[in-house]
Each structure stands twice: as C-alpha cells, then as structure tokens.
Amino acid sequence: DAGVTQSPTHLIKTRGQQVTLRCSPKSGHDTVSWYQQALGQGPQFIFQYYEEEERQRGNFPDRFSGHQFPNYSSELNVNALLLGDSALYLCASSSRTSGRVDTQYFGPGTRLTVL
Amino acid sequence: DAKTTQPPSMDCAEGRAANLPCNHSTISGNEYVYWYRQIHSQGPQYIIHGLKNNETNEMASLIITEDRKSSTLILPHATLRDTAVYYCIVRTYGGATNKLIFGTGTLLAVQP
C-alpha cells in the first residue's frame, strides 16, 4: 500500500517564476493538507482541501493556491516566487470519518530552492 | 503559536529508553496529544496519539499525566535510527478541519 507521494523531489526556480507541486494521498484518504517548512523550523500550515474545495487556510498570501482533483490528488501552486519561498513543502493526507478529520500522514516533501 | 513546550535537545545511549517530555498546560478537554518525528529532510512520521489514557503501539508508549498538563513519549530501546526531531502537538481530534501546529520540537540524538 503506497503512502503519500509527492513530486518532484527537488526543484530549482528563479525569482518571479511560478511553480506547481503535486501530491497523491495515501490509499483511502480524501483530505489533503499542505505545509511549508523553512530550514530549522517546524512545518507551517498552508491550507487543506476536501471535496475539491479549500476548507481552511493558514497565514499565507494569495500567491499560494491549490487544487484538488476528483481522485483526491492535489496541487500546490506558488506564483511570483520570492527567495523566502525556498523551503521543504510537505503534503499530508487523512481521511474523514463522519465529517471529522483523522490522523494526518505526511509525504517525503518537495525541496524548492528559489535563486 | 504552538501550545506545547519541549526541550530543544536530548541525548540518549543506544539500547536505552528515551523519555521525551512535553508540557501542554493549556490543553482543553477535547484536545489530543499527538507525537510526530522528523528524520533529517524527510517528511514527519506519525508516532502515536492519546487523550488521557496511556497508549502503546509498536513504535512507542505515551504517558499522559492525570491532569493532562504534560506527557512523555517513551522509545523503549533507542537505536541510532531514532535520531530525529520529535514534535509534540495538541489538536482537536476529528474536527472539521484541523491543522497541525508544530513548534520547534526536541532533537533527540542517540549515541552509540
């Protein structure tokens, strides 16, 4: 049973460019959350998707947007990249039981470097 | 802000038990204690969670004090592969949307 998968593993972009990161949730999971982890810090919540809609958002600008597909996979898009967007981007998946979010399981992450 | 306090670092000898403390004095009645760990540059790995009773699984044991204001994660026989940052998180179990709020965690260094 495959766990949470993310692609690509590493990515290098320049300032001002746009990037798309992808996540496939664990089998049986329907909820996807995205986190940003800067070097030396704990992960910070970006947003969560369920039923193809953004359900909760952290303190991130509109340059960060997402999408969830009918097969529950998800994309994170970041526009107008800044040097400060360099980080490890983590996807976590979970299931919902009676509308409640269960334990989140993380993927390996995508390392984004902005030059 | 994170609702937990953890020591920044701890050492443990290989083969010995590692006891990682966490303070969560403002925890409310419907909040669970979750533990994750993160090995360098990998995604966080779920370890265990509990509400008020002690919990044990194949990875670790979780001891929660009776007043629920603190807890201890126990790795019974630490190995070098247990070297990681351990995060203690309190969250409402099963809410409609429940983000995880990470602090800075405890860096556990298992020594040979």
Side-chain angles (χ1 to χ4, degrees), chain A residues 35 37 56 96 100-102 104, chain B residues 36 38 94-96 98 100:
Chain A
Y35 293 79
Q37 186 174 24
Q56 190 177 23
R96 283 175 177 257
R100 302 175 303 175
V101 176
D102 292 329
Q104 295 182 35
Chain B
Y36 285 80
Q38 188 172 27
N98 291 113
L100 296 173

Side-chain angles (χ1 to χ4, degrees), chain B residues 7-48:
Chain B
S9 63
M10 294 182 62
D11 288 341
C12 177
E14 189 177 19
R16 303 296 295 271
N19 296 278
L20 292 95
C22 179
N23 287 318
H24 30 80
S25 58
T26 61
I27 193 170
S28 58
N30 63 346
E31 288 183 319
Y32 283 65
V33 180
Y34 275 75
W35 284 83
Y36 285 80
R37 73 179 182 184
Q38 188 172 27
I39 297 170
H40 183 63
S41 293
Q42 298 181 20
Q45 177 188 23
Y46 165 75
I47 301 173
I48 198 167

Side-chain angles (χ1 to χ4, degrees), chain A residues 6-11 19-22 34 87-91 107-112:
Chain A
Q6 293 186 243
S7 64
T9 304
H10 296 86
L11 203 52
V19 68
T20 297
L21 311 181
R22 295 176 176 82
W34 286 92
L88 180 68
Y89 288 85
L90 296 160
C91 169
T110 293
R111 172 70 63 185
L112 173 64

